[in-house]
Amino acid sequence: MFDPSSPLHRRELLAYSAAAAFLAGSTVTGADPKPAARRRSAMKKSINLWAFPYPSKMTLEQCLQLAKDAGFDGIELNYDLESDLSPKAGPKDFEAIRKTAERIGIAISGLCSFLFWPYPLSSNDPARRGRGMELAAKMVEAAHHLGTQNLLVVPGAVCIPWRTDHEPVPNDVCDKRAREAVGKMLPLAEKHKVSLNIENIFFNGYLMTPMEMIAFVDTFNSEFVKVHFDTGNIMEYQFPEHWIDQLGKRIKNVHLKEFTKKGTDHSLEAFRPLLDGTTNWPAVMEAFEKAGYAGYLTFEYFHPYQHYPEALIYQTSDSLDRMLGIK
């Protein structure tokens, strides 16, 4: 039973009273509970087209306009077999997209593609490897005509767990084929001044540590072979802030993918809207600052909202503002 006359309880009451007085004083004086303002980062806000309901509910131009309206500096586009950005499009088509983006006032921050999975550059099937190289060359040219210097490249895969048609490739064979593929792509990339940015991916069994990535990129000794660093693609087992510190100036472009380790099935469903995960974003942002990175931070997400899809775009923009010290 509570006895207010006991010395212990009197001390507790005094402590509670002091705490209450402090909180009341904070309220009266208008003390701000928010952390101190941070220096605004020079990094730029970008978002991948996969976050939009394109092309099912929105045209490409509508997506560009929405990204601009939401406050993004850039948008990353995706090359596919059936879209405005595909082998069916030619230089004039890509230049028209670039001009539309320029008119709207948003940059094309990069070009990426899921086509490296059905047509891996390290596949055991020579026909798939050949088709992959053909498509990769078209992507380099598309990036050039779109006016972006960034092309995301997946150079090889030991395994592709979600594809039943992919035969696992021995690590040494994968490495040999990946190096050969990037080496063959490089002359065209240098001609068009498009950077081949090698992406880290946790589930393809290749380039699984920063040391391996550094060794791969540095082999080419070219300003047109860099790193497309993805924060979410290593979150299941590693920590992005560690990689950033080691990769440093090799990072040419960035994907911000939020990842959660809580109750997931270790699939694409583990990727979440920005800030709705377990990434240590203050540590990640500090690592980017220390590395001197001042390029695009592109939110990549594969599940556009079924209803009010613009909400995801605005929510992401707001989250990036807070991460960059804008708000």
Side-chain angles (χ1 to χ4, degrees):
M1 180 176 292
F2 181 78
D3 180 4
S5 65
S6 74
L8 177 60
H9 289 142
R10 283 198 297 271
R11 286 197 297 270
E12 289 176 345
L13 285 171
L14 287 171
Y16 295 150
S17 298
F22 174 79
L23 292 174
S26 297
T27 303
V28 171
T29 57
D32 190 349
K34 295 188 295 185
R38 296 178 292 112
R39 181 176 64 85
R40 178 168 177 167
S41 172
M43 290 176 275
K44 294 171 283 190
K45 296 165 53 179
S46 175
I47 188 167
N48 186 280
L49 187 61
W50 281 318
F52 298 75
Y54 167 81
S56 60
K57 296 180 180 179
M58 296 179 68
T59 66
L60 181 56
E61 182 172 353
Q62 288 173 327
C63 295
L64 297 174
Q65 187 64 61
L66 175 55
K68 172 64 176 178
D69 293 344
F72 286 94
D73 303 300
I75 185 169
E76 184 178 53
L77 303 181
N78 309 312
Y79 193 91
D80 206 344
L81 294 179
E82 298 288 340
S83 72
D84 293 298
L85 300 107
S86 74
K88 297 177 181 179
K92 291 184 179 179
D93 300 301
F94 295 121
E95 288 168 5
I97 293 172
R98 185 195 71 212
K99 290 178 181 177
T100 298
E102 289 173 349
R103 173 175 53 79
I104 290 172
I106 191 165
I108 297 174
S109 61
L111 183 66
C112 69
S113 177
F114 267 139
L115 295 178
F116 288 109
W117 300 121
Y119 304 104
L121 302 182
S122 59
S123 174
N124 288 331
D125 182 347
R128 285 180 184 263
R129 289 204 308 274
R131 179 58 170 158
M133 288 299 299
E134 178 187 344
L135 290 168
K138 290 182 179 296
M139 291 178 208
V140 170
E141 293 175 345
H144 167 69
H145 293 296
L146 287 166
T148 182
Q149 297 179 344
N150 293 310
L151 173 63
L152 185 154
V153 175
V154 180
V158 169
C159 57
I160 306 177
W162 68 92
R163 292 196 67 93
T164 58
D165 61 347
H166 181 263
E167 180 183 12
V169 181
N171 296 68
D172 58 337
V173 176
C174 176
D175 185 63
K176 179 176 182 293
R177 289 173 181 167
R179 292 174 186 272
E180 289 176 351
V182 173
K184 290 177 181 178
M185 292 173 64
L186 190 50
L188 184 63
E190 291 176 335
K191 173 186 175 182
H192 288 310
K193 294 182 169 50
V194 171
S195 182
L196 306 177
N197 300 328
I198 310 304
E199 187 182 32
N200 57 289
I201 300 168
F202 74 86
F203 40 52
N204 70 342
Y206 184 52
L207 303 179
M208 298 294 287
T209 68
M211 294 77 77
E212 291 172 280
M213 179 67 82
I214 289 169
F216 183 90
V217 169
D218 288 0
T219 295
F220 298 96
N221 192 31
S222 171
E223 63 177 305
F224 294 101
V225 180
K226 296 293 184 181
V227 175
H228 187 117
F229 182 68
D230 190 305
T231 63
N233 280 356
I234 54 171
M235 269 292 293
E236 185 165 7
Y237 305 111
Q238 301 183 47
F239 304 90
E241 57 268 30
H242 298 168
W243 279 61
I244 297 164
D245 181 60
Q246 295 174 65
L247 295 177
K249 297 293 186 181
R250 297 173 183 85
I251 300 175
K252 183 71 164 53
N253 212 0
V254 168
H255 271 166
L256 295 188
K257 277 217 291 288
E258 181 63 275
F259 186 94
T260 180
K261 297 180 181 180
K262 297 180 179 178
T264 72
D265 56 1
H266 304 292
S267 71
L268 290 180
E269 299 301 323
F271 297 117
R272 307 296 305 149
L274 202 56
L275 303 185
D276 181 28
T278 55
T279 308
N280 185 349
W281 287 116
V284 169
M285 298 303 289
E286 182 180 359
F288 278 130
E289 292 285 356
K290 286 183 177 179
Y293 182 73
Y296 289 101
L297 298 177
T298 299
F299 173 66
E300 184 187 31
Y301 192 60
F302 312 103
H303 309 290
Y305 287 178
Q306 182 178 357
H307 306 292
Y308 313 109
E310 69 280 1
L312 173 64
I313 313 306
Y314 280 95
Q315 288 166 7
T316 302
S317 180
D318 180 80
S319 296
L320 276 170
D321 282 346
R322 297 173 193 282
M323 294 165 65
L324 292 169
I326 298 171
K327 288 186 177 180

